[in-house]
Each structure stands twice: as structure tokens, then as C-alpha cells.
Amino acid sequence: MLTSIAGRSVIVTGASRGIGKGIARVFCQNGGRVLVVSRNLGEAEACAQELRDAGGEARGHAADVTRIGDMQTLADTAAAVHGGIDILCANVGIFPQARIEDLSVEDWDHVMATNLKGTFLAIKACLPYLKQSNQGRIVITSSITGPVTGFPGWSHYGATKAGQLGFIRTASLELARHGITVNAVLPGNIATEGLTALGPESERSMVASIPLKRLGTVDDVGYAALFLASKEAAYITGQTIVVDGGQTLPESLDALAQT
Ligand code: NAP
């Protein structure tokens, strides 16, 4: 058993649905006091209500990670309602698909601003409070796409997800003196609303490429994040955990066929 995170103040950005909601649920079930963040207040509050109905402690908060003012208000709010910030899960990410020849400069900038700059802004705003925690933890949601693999149409997305890993290697060094760890989870194909909307055929083809023969669940990612946020992970920083059912391991189609 890991030491409980009960009573810890947790922020999860991009938590109204998908992986962020799974992370928020796992932290709530383990006693965290969670601020559920998305741009849409109604959806953030609906998620928080669901978590409260299940016995957790959660509040909804509207903020856009591309705006430093929103991030500062978010940090101040978390500190005011939950007495500080112990754990920041910087999870927001968008993945509009476009091949390079069709990708506009504006769309490139928007994905960079949301996924990469948004990660930086959330961390920068929360830092003064994380420094006051005796167990500061930052867990970023990256992806296998970019750091490990590629996928046509996701050059911009992959660049942000690989960029997040470059960022954490220096961030973990800078924050070590404050006892704050900075790590990332790298999900593979996770069953989220967005992914299921692609239809059963695409789901079948994704599952066929996964040795464990199923899509990941949002809870699979949530538990990896919970471990990185735990007291027991205190000596792990600047590192990554791939949560992909073995998807990135087979070195050939033959290797996959033999699983
Ligand atoms: P999702 O279902 O599309 O949810 C995205 C969340 O982020 C929503 O709560 C959304 O709410 C919020 N959001 C979007 N833009 C925002 C902004 N500018 N400011 C604040 N909140 C914002 O996404 P997901 O599939 O769960 O992905 C979550 C993370 O996991 C991303 O970083 C993604 O790259 C990564 N990931 C996902 C998969 C997968 O299989 N799904 C695989 C690998 C990595 P609003 O729109 O209301 O703001």
C-alpha cells in the first residue's frame, strides 16, 4: 500500500472529461481534494459533482491554460479553498489532425500554445504554492506520440508531447532544491470519449496493435499519475512512465503476431 494522499490539495487541468477526469477520479477516491479544471465551468462542475456523489472532495473551476492570468487565479483559488497546492497534474492537450502540407501556421501555434506553453504556464503559476508543500509533485500528461512514435497528421502534436519531456528534464533539476518532483505519464490508446467517437472499426485496429489486447482505461493512467504523486515516489524525478499495454514494444509485425 502507498501512503495515502488524503487531504492533499490536487489540481487536474483538462479534467472535465477523458484522461483528466480519470486522474481526478483516482485522486479523489484516494482522499485528494481535487480542483477539476476546464474552460467550460458547467462541465468542470458536473464532473466535480459526480466525484462528490461518489464520496470524493472536488470543486469545478473554469480556466484556460493558454492564459497566465487564468493560471494565476487557478493557483490562488486552489490555495484559498484547499489550503495550498501539493500536486499539479498538467493534463490539458489537444490533438487536431492535419498533415504538414495542410497544417496552417495558426493551427500549429494553437497546439503549441495549448499543449506546451499551457504546461509551462500552469506550472509557473502553481510554483509559489508547490514550494510551500512538503511533498510537491508535478505530473504531466505527455503521450507515446512524439516521444516514442509518430502518426501521420500529428507532427505538431508530437512535437509538443516530446517538448514536454525536454521541459521536465530541466524543470526537475530546477525544482529539486524545493523537494518538488516533475514526471510524466505517456499514455497509448486510451478509451476516452474522443477516441471512442472514431468508431468500432478504428477501435478494432487500435486494439490489434496492443499486446495486452485492449484499449487503456483512464484509470490506468490515473493510477500511474497517483504513483508518481505518492510519498513513495519521492526519489523519482525527470522520468516517464509509458502506459500503453505494450503497444510500443514489438519490433516487427511478426513480433506482434506472436504475442
Ligand atoms: P479530451 O477528452 O479532449 O479532454 C480535454 C480536456 O482538456 C477537457 O476537459 C477540455 O475541456 C480541456 N481543455 C482543452 N483545452 C483547454 C484549455 N485551453 N484550457 C483548459 N482546459 C482545456 O482529451 P484526452 O483524450 O483525455 O487527453 C488528455 C491528455 O492526454 C492530453 O494531454 C493528450 O495529449 C493526452 N493523451 C491522450 C490520449 C488518448 O488516447 N486519449 C493518448 C495519449 C495522450 P474544455 O474543452 O471545456 O476546456
Side-chain angles (χ1 to χ4, degrees):
M1 284 289 283
L2 299 175
T3 304
S4 169
I5 59 148
R8 298 258 158 204
S9 167
V10 184
I11 293 177
V12 186
T13 68
S16 62
R17 58 177 184 269
I19 289 176
K21 187 173 179 180
I23 295 173
R25 183 169 53 233
V26 166
F27 278 81
C28 255
Q29 283 167 346
N30 284 274
R33 308 165 83 195
V34 178
L35 211 56
V36 171
V37 184
S38 72
R39 289 166 302 181
N40 184 310
L41 181 60
E43 287 175 13
E45 281 186 338
C47 173
Q49 183 63 52
E50 224 180 279
L51 299 177
R52 285 196 298 274
D53 290 346
E57 190 173 342
R59 287 165 185 258
H61 181 90
D64 184 336
V65 296
T66 66
R67 299 186 180 160
I68 185 64
D70 278 18
M71 291 301 95
Q72 276 158 350
T73 307
L74 165 66
D76 294 342
T77 303
V81 298
H82 291 150
I85 302 172
D86 300 300
I87 300 162
L88 167 64
C89 296
N91 167 77
V92 166
I94 56 170
F95 31 92
Q97 209 170 354
R99 284 176 176 259
I100 295 165
E101 51 195 357
D102 306 318
L103 178 59
S104 70
V105 174
E106 292 72 24
D107 286 348
W108 171 276
D109 285 344
H110 182 52
V111 169
M112 291 291 148
T114 305
N115 298 5
L116 199 47
K117 185 175 165 193
T119 300
F120 157 64
L121 294 183
I123 291 172
K124 185 172 175 65
C126 292
L127 210 43
Y129 297 107
L130 284 164
K131 281 162 67 175
Q132 289 167 27
S133 169
N134 61 0
Q135 194 182 304
R137 297 279 187 271
I138 297 170
V139 182
I140 290 169
T141 308
S142 173
S143 176
I144 57 168
T145 311
V148 190
T149 61
F151 202 109
W154 278 328
S155 61
H156 52 343
Y157 174 73
T160 64
K161 295 286 139 180
Q164 285 177 315
L165 302 194
F167 175 81
I168 68 167
R169 293 196 177 99
T170 289
S172 58
L173 294 181
E174 290 187 15
L175 303 186
R177 67 172 66 177
H178 305 293
I180 300 170
T181 65
V182 192
N183 294 291
V185 288
L186 278 61
N189 293 148
I190 307 301
T192 53
E193 295 86 333
L195 204 133
T196 334
L198 298 174
E201 197 38 58
S202 318
E203 188 171 325
R204 254 190 302 278
S205 111
M206 282 183 248
V207 169
S209 70
I210 302 171
L212 286 176
K213 298 298 175 224
R214 66 168 176 88
L215 295 180
T217 66
V218 293
D219 285 13
D220 289 328
V221 183
Y223 280 107
L226 181 69
F227 169 66
L228 289 171
S230 69
K231 181 167 182 270
E232 284 72 14
Y235 205 54
I236 301 172
T237 195
Q239 303 303 313
T240 59
I241 298 182
V242 174
V243 186
D244 74 345
Q247 187 178 349
T248 51
L249 293 177
E251 62 183 38
S252 67
L253 288 174
D254 188 34
L256 181 63
Q258 291 187 40
T259 60

